[in-house]
Amino acid sequence: MGMYRHVMLLHCYFASSFLCTAVAFVEEPVGGRSDGYCGRILRAQTQGTRKEGHHEFRIRVEGDPASYQPGSTYRVVLLATSPSYFRGFTLIALKEGREGTVDDDYIGQFQNIDEEDTQFMTNCAPAMTESTPRRRTRIQVFWTAPPTGSGCVIMKASIVQKRVIYFQDEGSLTIRLCEKERVFGEATGAPAMECCACGTAKYRLTFYGNWSEKVHPKDYPRRANHWSALIGASHSRGYVLWEYGGYASEGVRQVAEFGSPIKMEEEIRQKGDEVLTVIKTKAQWPAWQPLNLRAAPSAEFSVDRTCHLMSFLTMLGPSPDWNVGLSGEDLCTKECGWVQRLETDLIPWDAGTDNGVTYESPNKPTIPQEKIRPLTSLDHPQSPFYDPEGGAITPIAKLVVERIARKGEQCNVVPDTIDDIVADIGQEDKEEDDTPETCIYSGWSPWSACSSATCEKGRRMRQRMLKAQLDLSVPCPHTQDFQPCMGPGCSIEGKNRNTLKCPACLFADSLLCMLSPWSDWSDCSVTCGRGLQTRQRMLKSDPAGCSEELEQMEKCMLPECPADCMVSEWSEWSECNKSCGKGHTIRTRMVKLEPQFGGRACPETIQRKKCKIRKCRTKEGSRGAVGGAVGGQRRRRGKQGRDSVAEEQSGCRMQPWTAWTDCTKPCSGGIQERFMVAKERDKGAMAVGCKDRKEVRACNVYPC
């Protein structure tokens, strides 16, 4: 006969007084069903003093999503509405329809944000609880959603307040989240199996920045806002550029903190067979401009059965280490096809390498390095994304990925749509642009006419101009491009190269002016200030019958170029301001150009150094008496008295000091002078003692 064990679960809290809540439960008989400590905890909670229907406590998933994205990380917040509070809590996530009696009933993964507030429950690892019992009105943790195919999740919380346990199966302490339904042709999310698609697919990635003062006004950096160069790759499952919960590599750190993609690209290329295409776009200064002034940056890349994931990142600057991007986005569908279109909003994430909380926080490395995590509206009150209500951050960018071509035999189990067929037929193959960012070109000219007027193989040419080579150590590739061609009416792809159209058809074609659509506007020809940008279109018919323009040019304006302060050469040192004894001499230089648009500040414009002409001489007796009287008079009257009383020197009398001359400059440092001249000379006096005197001082030293 089985033996029963009676157990008492005791909740004890220390506040102003010792308080315990006893909750009793009876364990299953020995030898019977035993469902583990987690199951006993749940049953113990429901047997305590319980209140239904109260809404002073609630559980909230940041952003209030209607569904969860497999593999994504969310912030879960437990709130008490003032004046309510709680001392303890338990938080769990269960598969829908499960009771939590076995480990497999729990789903997803919680993660501590502040270990002083929360911890995993002892002997029940899937559950979160308080670290220290005390009065509180809010706790928060991260929860990572389960993989694809996990079904719905029930997230429950229990609240302990004095002797009352609040635990609700419905209402404000329970949330139900189901997996986001995937429309056919969308990405599969975190890959759970090998890709079964055939052939290759080619995509165009377009990045639309939405980070602007209008959308994100708090502390928006007006002067230096920009997006760094975008860097990424199409790659296999064996390579991870970055991921939530992982640590930033050195390449990721340099993008996140400095906006430099060089180390990141080096890391990507070192992966060899794990990478199919390196994805790059140029930086954007400023961060946002209307699309009619600047085209959204884009890049093309390819995927195949092995390298079917796409990852990228780009820094928003200035910022401590904040980025947007995608990690391991799978472009292979479970129907063994290729995603046709992907469009997703992007919120910023923290690389875990710098402790700053505002856009322009000073550099402060995070030691030890922390894990990559999404920024949230509850991170810090000084954060530009802070929201005391914990609402979702407004997206700061949008990414659109469109399939533009497929090559090779396809094996998708769902028949192609009309859009699939049109996209494959309409796409012209283009070579990957490996142009270094330090080489600035004009756009390509239209293709020349074919060198062959018959069905013999010839070639045609296009050209572009190298406008600037910003780094002489990096070579700039060719400025001419060639392509095989034949005369009108011939098919270069056909086996019979002598197949011709009828003469009437050729004549009709020559009367048509067939043009491709305009290309996107090129990047501005300069990196700052005013420049030019161009766009082109291709002539697809006989040039003899077409006079339409093939290239357009317009002005473009980027942020003003930084201008450093410019100063003149130093002047000669002035005369010593004393005729005897210790004095000083100065020299100045002028500010020719004040710093503008973040340029280097002005250096000093006045320098002073000591000078000593000779010792001042005095005579015995009356000369000393006169000197003492004059000295006493000076001490009594101060500087003003000294200036207004004639100074007597040996054998001569001096006029009072003249007034100071006007300053030689209105600002940025000038000089003033004043003079004392001999009034009367003794015949027996030494001429040297009766020299005129001059003093010099600096004036208007503030910058212009």
Side-chain angles (χ1 to χ4, degrees):
M1 189 172 174
M3 180 175 61
Y4 287 81
R5 288 179 296 169
H6 298 268
V7 182
M8 180 75 71
L9 179 66
L10 193 64
H11 290 275
C12 293
Y13 303 99
F14 296 87
S16 59
S17 61
F18 181 84
L19 177 65
C20 294
T21 299
V23 183
F25 66 87
V26 179
E27 190 173 335
E28 297 291 339
V30 176
R33 176 186 170 211
S34 178
D35 53 17
Y37 186 81
C38 287
R40 298 199 300 273
I41 289 292
L42 294 179
R43 290 203 310 282
Q45 290 175 324
T46 60
Q47 292 175 10
T49 305
R50 177 178 171 182
K51 287 188 177 182
E52 297 285 356
H54 288 263
H55 296 280
E56 62 263 45
F57 307 107
R58 67 187 179 109
I59 184 175
R60 181 182 182 187
V61 178
E62 184 181 26
D64 299 319
S67 58
Y68 71 84
Q69 182 73 38
S72 295
T73 299
Y74 300 88
R75 183 185 295 255
V76 180
V77 184
L78 204 54
L79 299 165
T81 304
S82 179
S84 298
Y85 64 91
F86 56 95
R87 297 181 181 275
F89 73 93
T90 303
L91 180 61
I92 58 172
L94 297 172
K95 295 178 181 177
E96 188 172 37
R98 302 291 184 89
E99 297 181 358
T101 55
V102 294
D103 289 345
D104 188 55
D105 290 355
Y106 297 87
I107 192 168
Q109 177 66 49
F110 286 110
Q111 178 185 341
N112 282 314
I113 294 179
D114 187 347
E115 294 183 352
E116 293 183 359
D117 267 347
T118 61
Q119 66 177 357
F120 289 100
M121 181 174 282
T122 306
N123 298 328
C124 184
M128 300 296 294
T129 188
E130 73 280 356
S131 296
T132 305
R134 60 179 176 83
R135 287 177 61 133
R136 49 171 59 85
T137 58
R138 174 197 299 260
I139 65 95
Q140 52 187 348
V141 295
F142 286 134
W143 178 74
T144 301
T148 302
S150 298
C152 296
V153 176
I154 304 297
M155 200 172 292
K156 296 183 177 183
S158 66
I159 294 292
V160 179
Q161 185 194 53
K162 295 184 179 179
R163 298 181 182 275
V164 179
I165 297 178
Y166 296 81
F167 186 90
Q168 294 178 298
D169 293 328
E170 300 291 341
S172 61
L173 285 175
T174 298
I175 288 180
R176 179 177 182 264
L177 291 176
C178 292
E179 182 179 346
K180 183 180 179 181
E181 293 186 5
R182 186 174 63 86
V183 180
F184 169 71
E186 288 186 341
T188 59
M193 59 186 70
E194 295 294 334
C195 176
C196 59
C198 299
T200 63
K202 191 172 185 178
Y203 288 90
R204 179 183 294 113
L205 172 154
T206 307
F207 181 84
Y208 297 93
N210 192 37
W211 179 46
S212 64
E213 187 173 15
K214 181 178 179 181
V215 181
H216 299 88
K218 183 179 178 183
D219 300 332
Y220 188 78
R222 294 184 177 181
R223 294 184 60 184
N225 61 85
H226 68 283
W227 291 103
S228 74
L230 182 149
I231 183 69
S234 58
H235 57 92
S236 70
R237 295 175 61 190
Y239 176 43
V240 177
L241 274 76
W242 70 272
E243 63 179 345
Y244 288 130
Y247 290 98
S249 67
E250 178 60 21
V252 172
R253 186 189 73 83
Q254 290 192 16
V255 173
E257 293 189 22
F258 313 122
S260 171
I262 297 174
K263 181 64 177 178
M264 186 77 253
E265 182 175 353
E266 179 184 320
E267 291 179 1
I268 292 172
R269 294 190 184 278
Q270 287 175 350
K271 291 299 177 179
D273 294 339
E274 301 282 355
V275 171
L276 183 61
T277 310
V278 177
I279 303 171
K280 297 189 294 182
T281 70
K282 295 183 179 180
Q284 299 180 80
W285 293 77
W288 183 86
Q289 276 189 328
L291 292 177
N292 63 339
L293 297 181
R294 182 182 68 194
S298 63
E300 295 179 3
F301 65 95
S302 298
V303 293
D304 60 18
R305 177 177 287 188
T306 301
C307 297
H308 53 96
L309 305 181
M310 183 273 291
S311 301
F312 83 93
L313 69 156
T314 177
M315 177 201 76
L316 61 151
S319 71
D321 57 346
W322 299 343
N323 313 261
V324 297
L326 288 180
S327 174
E329 192 69 32
D330 197 349
L331 298 175
C332 179
T333 69
K334 66 180 183 181
E335 294 86 9
C336 301
W338 298 109
V339 172
Q340 188 178 90
R341 179 182 172 88
L342 169 69
E343 185 172 324
T344 182
D345 291 326
L346 302 173
I347 63 171
W349 49 268
D350 190 302
T353 61
D354 191 285
N355 278 331
V357 295
T358 66
Y359 290 127
E360 299 182 277
S361 293
N363 289 334
K364 186 178 180 182
T366 302
I367 300 175
Q369 183 175 339
E370 295 178 353
K371 294 180 179 179
I372 295 173
R373 64 171 184 85
L375 291 178
T376 74
S377 60
L378 296 172
D379 283 337
H380 195 282
Q382 293 182 5
S383 167
F385 306 110
Y386 181 71
D387 176 7
E389 296 297 321
I393 292 178
T394 302
I396 62 174
K398 181 176 73 173
L399 184 80
V400 176
V401 178
E402 298 174 287
R403 196 184 73 213
I404 56 177
R406 291 179 298 179
K407 292 183 180 180
E409 183 179 354
Q410 302 294 312
C411 56
N412 45 303
V413 297
V414 178
D416 285 340
T417 64
I418 295 297
D419 290 339
D420 291 327
I421 298 171
V422 171
D424 290 345
I425 293 176
Q427 171 62 21
E428 295 181 0
D429 290 338
K430 299 178 182 178
E431 294 181 0
E432 295 293 337
D433 185 7
D434 292 328
T435 302
E437 292 188 3
T438 54
C439 301
I440 300 177
Y441 291 94
S442 67
W444 284 107
S445 69
W447 288 104
S448 68
C450 189
S451 61
S452 172
T454 67
C455 289
E456 294 297 322
K457 187 175 181 180
R459 67 175 186 170
R460 58 180 183 170
M461 181 189 73
R462 62 178 181 173
Q463 295 177 312
R464 61 181 177 179
M465 184 191 313
L466 178 62
K467 292 185 173 182
Q469 187 174 0
L470 304 181
D471 187 348
L472 297 179
S473 65
V474 178
C476 293
H478 57 275
T479 57
Q480 292 184 326
D481 191 18
F482 297 91
Q483 192 179 69
C485 61
M486 290 184 181
C490 303
S491 172
I492 198 168
E493 300 294 337
K495 294 182 180 179
N496 182 5
R497 293 183 181 271
N498 294 320
T499 301
L500 296 173
K501 294 182 180 179
C502 64
C505 296
L506 290 174
F507 177 76
D509 284 347
S510 67
L511 297 179
L512 296 175
C513 187
M514 299 179 64
L515 298 166
S516 69
W518 285 106
S519 67
D520 292 334
W521 287 102
S522 68
D523 291 334
C524 197
S525 60
V526 296
T527 55
C528 58
R530 298 179 181 179
L532 295 173
Q533 57 185 8
T534 60
R535 66 175 183 174
Q536 297 84 27
R537 57 182 174 180
M538 304 287 293
L539 179 62
K540 295 188 174 182
S541 60
D542 188 347
C546 188
S547 59
E548 297 291 331
E549 63 176 343
L550 300 178
E551 184 172 17
Q552 289 182 343
M553 182 179 299
E554 71 174 13
K555 297 178 181 179
C556 51
M557 181 69 183
L558 295 180
E560 294 289 347
C561 301
D564 296 339
C565 176
M566 294 179 61
V567 295
S568 66
E569 297 295 325
W570 286 108
S571 67
E572 298 293 331
W573 288 101
S574 69
E575 294 182 9
C576 191
N577 69 329
K578 300 290 184 180
S579 58
C580 64
K582 295 180 180 179
H584 66 267
T585 179
I586 64 172
R587 66 175 182 174
T588 62
R589 56 182 173 183
M590 298 176 56
V591 175
K592 292 183 175 180
L593 177 66
E594 292 290 338
Q596 300 181 41
F597 311 110
R600 188 179 304 165
C602 292
E604 62 178 343
T605 56
I606 299 177
Q607 287 184 345
R608 180 191 301 244
K609 68 178 181 179
K610 295 179 181 179
C611 57
K612 185 175 182 181
I613 305 299
R614 57 181 174 79
K615 290 184 179 181
C616 294
R617 298 179 179 177
T618 60
K619 287 187 176 182
E620 300 292 335
S622 62
R623 184 176 183 183
V626 172
V630 173
Q633 188 179 36
R634 287 179 182 171
R635 287 193 296 273
R636 288 192 303 271
R637 298 187 180 181
K639 185 175 183 298
Q640 183 177 2
R642 184 194 69 180
D643 292 345
S644 61
V645 176
E647 180 179 339
E648 295 187 9
Q649 292 187 357
S650 175
C652 66
R653 297 183 62 190
M654 306 298 291
Q655 295 281 4
W657 283 105
T658 64
W660 289 104
T661 62
D662 293 336
C663 192
T664 58
K665 293 176 60 179
C667 53
S668 293
I671 59 173
Q672 289 178 294
E673 297 176 329
R674 69 175 183 173
F675 306 91
M676 178 184 285
V677 298
K679 182 178 181 181
E680 185 177 310
R681 301 178 186 269
D682 250 356
K683 296 181 179 179
M686 295 178 61
V688 69
C690 291
K691 284 188 175 180
D692 295 340
R693 298 179 59 186
K694 180 174 74 171
E695 284 189 350
V696 181
R697 71 178 183 184
C699 56
N700 295 344
V701 295
Y702 50 85
C704 294

